[in-house]
Amino acid sequence: HRVQVSVSHDGPGQAANRGGDPFDRPASAEALRKLYSRLRPLGLINFNCVLARNNMSLSAVRTYIAEKLGCRPEELPLATEEIVLPYEETGMDLSFRSKAESQIFKQVFVKELADGSVLGVLNIREKLRDFFLSLAKGRPSHALAQRCGMDREDTLAVDLLGNVLTCQNTAAGDGHAIGHVSDLGNARLDTARHWLTRNECHRCPVIQLCKGACMRLEGEQWRQACRNSFVYNMALLKSAISLLAGFRSGEEKKQIASL
C-alpha cells in the first residue's frame, strides 16, 4: 500500500537515550536491514534522530546507522527532530545545561553544515529552502504555522482507541485527550499555546527557522525547549547566511546547488 516508514534511531546515542538499540538484537537488526532494502528503492523509508548533550553530531548518527545497514552514509535518508524537546525529566537531563555545552554543539553543527556533510539531511534541506523563500518573498512572521504543524485545521493526532490528542507525542492519560473521533465537533485544542501567544517568540531572531518549538510545554520545560531550539537554529542561521554570501567551494557547491 506504499506506506511510508520512519524509524526513530539516535545512532551512537540510541542505547543510552532510548533504553536499547535494536541493532544490538540480531533478529531486530536483520528485520531493519530487510525493511530498508525493500523500501529504500521505493523512497518509502527514512530514519529520524534526536540530538542531545551526549549525542551532538548528525554525521556520527548517519554514519552509525549506515554502517549497521551496510550502505553509504550519504545514501541514508535521515531527518532530525533537532535538539531534544524536554517533554519529561529524561528530556531535561539530555538538554544542554550550560553555555559551554551549547557552544560545543554550535561548533560541531556549524562545522558539519560548512563542510556539507549534513546538508543532505532531509529537514535541514527543507528548512534552509523555506528560509531562503521567506527572504525572497518577505514572509511576515505572523504567517508562520507552528513547527509541528498541529495547529493546522486539517491535522489530527489520534490514538488507537479513537482519542483525539494534543499531538502525536502525548497520551490520553497525561491530560492531553481533547476529544474523541466519535464526537469531533466537540474536540477542542485547549491544551497548547501557539507561538503567537508567547512574547519571547515575537522578539526572536530565528522565529522563521524555529517556528515556536513545542506548543504544549510550559514553565521550565518550555524555557529549556526554547533554549535548545534557539541554539540549534542560531547555528543554522549562521550557515544560511554563509550560503547566501557564497562562502563555499568545490564539493560543497554541489550540495548547495541541489537545495
Side-chain angles (χ1 to χ4, degrees):
H1 300 288
R2 297 191 66 82
V3 174
Q4 173 77 34
V5 176
S6 184
V7 182
S8 293
H9 198 291
D10 294 342
Q14 174 72 18
N17 298 351
R18 294 187 187 261
D21 187 345
F23 285 116
D24 290 337
R25 301 189 297 271
S28 297
E30 182 59 23
L32 279 172
R33 283 190 283 268
K34 285 183 178 180
L35 186 69
Y36 183 78
S37 65
R38 180 177 298 176
L39 297 185
R40 177 65 179 93
L42 302 175
L44 293 177
I45 189 170
N46 73 281
F47 284 76
N48 184 51
C49 69
V50 175
L51 301 175
R53 62 191 301 201
N54 62 350
N55 194 39
M56 297 186 180
S57 170
L58 279 171
S59 286
V61 171
R62 205 174 196 185
T63 298
Y64 180 96
I65 298 173
E67 288 179 349
K68 297 295 184 180
L69 293 172
C71 67
R72 294 188 301 162
E74 59 269 23
E75 295 173 345
L76 181 76
L78 180 68
T80 179
E81 293 182 30
E82 303 176 7
I83 300 170
V84 61
L85 291 174
Y87 303 128
E88 71 299 296
E89 201 56 40
T90 299
M92 293 291 284
D93 292 340
L94 292 173
S95 297
F96 300 146
R97 307 302 287 175
S98 68
K99 289 183 178 179
E101 287 182 345
S102 298
Q103 186 62 31
I104 291 171
F105 169 78
K106 284 190 286 188
Q107 290 172 351
V108 171
F109 192 35
V110 168
K111 178 182 180 298
E112 292 182 345
L113 288 164
D115 66 22
S117 60
V118 299
L119 286 178
V121 173
L122 303 176
N123 47 346
I124 286 181
R125 293 167 58 87
E126 292 167 0
K127 286 189 76 166
L128 286 172
R129 184 184 294 112
D130 181 71
F131 178 68
F132 295 151
L133 286 173
S134 77
L135 297 178
K137 297 182 178 182
R139 181 176 63 195
S141 61
H142 63 76
L144 291 175
Q146 195 75 24
R147 166 185 160 182
C148 61
M150 293 307 298
D151 59 332
R152 291 170 54 105
E153 293 182 354
D154 60 350
T155 301
L156 198 67
V158 182
D159 68 15
L160 295 179
L161 297 177
N163 295 303
V164 182
L165 309 173
T166 303
C167 71
Q168 72 275 11
N169 288 318
T170 56
D174 65 4
H176 285 277
I178 62 174
H180 195 272
V181 293
S182 62
D183 188 21
L184 282 179
N186 287 317
R188 294 290 182 272
L189 181 58
D190 55 7
T191 50
R193 286 181 62 189
H194 196 278
W195 75 262
L196 283 168
T197 68
R198 300 186 191 269
N199 290 332
E200 55 268 52
C201 291
H202 287 274
R203 303 189 300 269
C204 182
V206 294
I207 187 61
Q208 291 280 355
L209 289 163
C210 170
K211 299 181 180 178
C214 180
M215 68 179 188
R216 75 175 178 88
L217 297 180
E218 293 291 347
E220 184 54 33
Q221 287 182 325
W222 156 252
R223 288 187 285 274
Q224 186 62 60
C226 179
R227 288 191 289 268
N228 290 355
S229 189
F230 183 79
V231 168
Y232 180 92
N233 285 291
M234 278 298 291
L236 197 59
L237 178 61
K238 181 176 182 178
S239 177
I241 292 171
S242 295
L243 286 169
L244 288 174
F247 298 150
R248 295 293 185 274
S249 63
E251 191 63 29
E252 296 155 282
K253 286 186 176 180
K254 296 179 183 178
Q255 292 273 4
I256 295 162
S258 64
L259 287 176

